[in-house]
Amino acid sequence: MASVARVAAAALVVLAGLASLATAQMESCNGELPPVLAANYSGLACQPVWNNFVLRYHQDKNNVLRVVLSTMYSTGWVGMGFSRDGLMIGSSAMVGWIGKKGLPHIRQFALRGKSSSKVVVDRGFLVSNDHDHTVVVQQAKIYLAFQLKFSYRLAHQHIIMAFGKASVDGSFPYGLRRAHGALNVFAWGVLMPIGAILARYFRRVDPLWFYLHVGIQFVGFIIGLAGVVAGVALYSKIQADIPAHRGLGIFVLFLGILQILAFFLRPNADSKYRKYWNWYHHWAGRLALFFASVNIVLGIHVGGGDNSWKIGYGFNLAVILVAVVALEFMLWTRWSKNSTSTPTY
């Protein structure tokens, strides 16, 4: 929790009050709450408040305030503070995160200063029952649901929104996440496209193109498989609910396995089944590379990758696309001159 005070100070948002939040609903409020929250937290007023934070709230006749704070989430922590004077120092915050072995946590922190030593866990002026707190991660969003007891009606309340990438309990496997991303980017985003380029555009260098193609694709598949293993280990630790990324990864892995099988099932060049094998091999490979690139972009996004990941992969993808366009133009120009079909392999 060492960075809570610093990030909260930078992310300070003073709002006019909960009563003024019941304004026109925006599209980000239209999504349904996770089923586990629907029973106790349905029928709340909703308002987008800051960045991609969405606040749902309601204070009943007993002055119990029910709150659901949601935002995009991959790692780290998310918090909501209550301030008496609009300042961070002296406020109390409810902070939620997914910790060791994927277990959810939500705790109160007293923000007594800007240094980490002044951020005190399980202290603060908020009155709550720990059994009424819930943290849910679904579809790459985190939901902090909690109930607070006040002695008065909230006509005006300053609140603070904050988030941080650091793990609160020090348990998040950042090295495993980097390994998962780096291995798959290198395998599916660099090696595999190079191997495919060699097979399509350099077949005149026979048989060197074939051995390079097979060797590079095998190495790429092994490295990609290591990236999948790292991803499975990462999922077992944090239980991140990102079905699109995981589903695409499984589909790409399946296509990769089909390509490995294609090598062992490759018929002779004069076989009547060779053209069907070519169709299968070519299109399975193209689909694998396309969905792998989509999944890399999605993984960088949901994994909270910084600009170095985005710029690095964006530059790599741009170079590959430019090279493919240029080589494809040269290939079609050569075909138009000799009007002969390309050899099978």
Side-chain angles (χ1 to χ4, degrees), residues 92-333:
S92 294
M94 301 299 295
V95 179
W97 70 95
I98 301 298
K100 188 176 182 179
K101 297 182 179 179
L103 297 177
H105 301 271
I106 183 167
R107 307 278 288 276
Q108 181 177 179
F109 289 81
L111 308 181
R112 298 173 179 173
K114 295 183 179 181
S115 64
S116 58
S117 61
K118 298 294 186 180
V119 179
V120 185
V121 66
D122 295 329
R123 294 290 186 272
F125 57 75
L126 299 175
V127 178
S128 66
N129 185 338
D130 291 342
H131 298 293
D132 296 328
H133 304 337
T134 308
V135 179
V136 178
V137 175
Q138 178 177 290
Q139 298 289 336
K141 285 186 178 181
I142 189 170
Y143 296 82
L144 274 63
F146 53 90
Q147 299 183 28
L148 304 175
K149 173 68 175 178
F150 289 84
S151 59
Y152 53 90
R153 300 294 297 174
L154 293 175
H156 183 88
Q157 176 63 55
H158 301 287
I159 62 175
I160 300 168
M161 303 295 173
F163 65 93
K165 291 297 183 182
S167 177
V168 176
D169 60 1
S171 66
F172 188 84
Y174 290 101
L176 195 58
R177 184 183 65 177
R178 284 193 296 269
H180 170 63
L183 288 170
N184 281 301
V185 168
F186 184 60
W188 294 99
V190 179
L191 287 181
M192 297 268 194
I194 291 175
I197 287 172
L198 288 171
R200 179 163 179 81
Y201 303 112
F202 292 91
R203 281 178 285 187
R204 290 189 299 174
V205 189
D206 192 44
L208 179 60
W209 73 265
F210 177 75
Y211 296 120
L212 288 175
H213 170 67
V214 172
I216 289 174
Q217 301 305 74
F218 265 115
V219 171
F221 179 78
I222 296 301
I223 295 175
L225 188 61
V228 171
V229 172
V232 172
L234 180 63
Y235 177 78
S236 68
K237 287 181 177 294
I238 66 173
Q239 297 293 312
D241 186 17
I242 311 175
H245 182 60
R246 187 168 65 253
L248 278 175
I250 293 172
F251 181 60
V252 170
L253 177 63
F254 171 74
L255 292 175
I257 294 173
L258 287 182
Q259 293 296 77
I260 297 298
L261 293 176
F263 174 78
F264 296 102
L265 299 175
R266 178 170 169 261
N268 294 327
D270 57 354
S271 171
K272 64 178 181 180
Y273 300 108
R274 185 56 179 264
K275 66 177 181 180
Y276 303 110
W277 181 91
N278 285 339
W279 294 342
Y280 146 64
H281 182 55
H282 295 170
W283 284 106
R286 290 164 182 165
L287 287 173
L289 291 179
F290 173 76
F291 284 109
S293 64
V294 171
N295 209 28
I296 288 172
V297 173
L298 179 60
I300 292 173
H301 173 69
V302 300
D306 57 24
N307 287 335
S308 63
W309 284 85
K310 298 173 184 177
I311 295 173
Y313 181 67
F315 178 77
N316 171 79
L317 189 61
V319 169
I320 290 174
L321 291 176
V322 170
V324 167
V325 170
L327 290 169
E328 189 72 17
F329 174 78
M330 294 170 60
L331 181 65
W332 280 94
T333 301

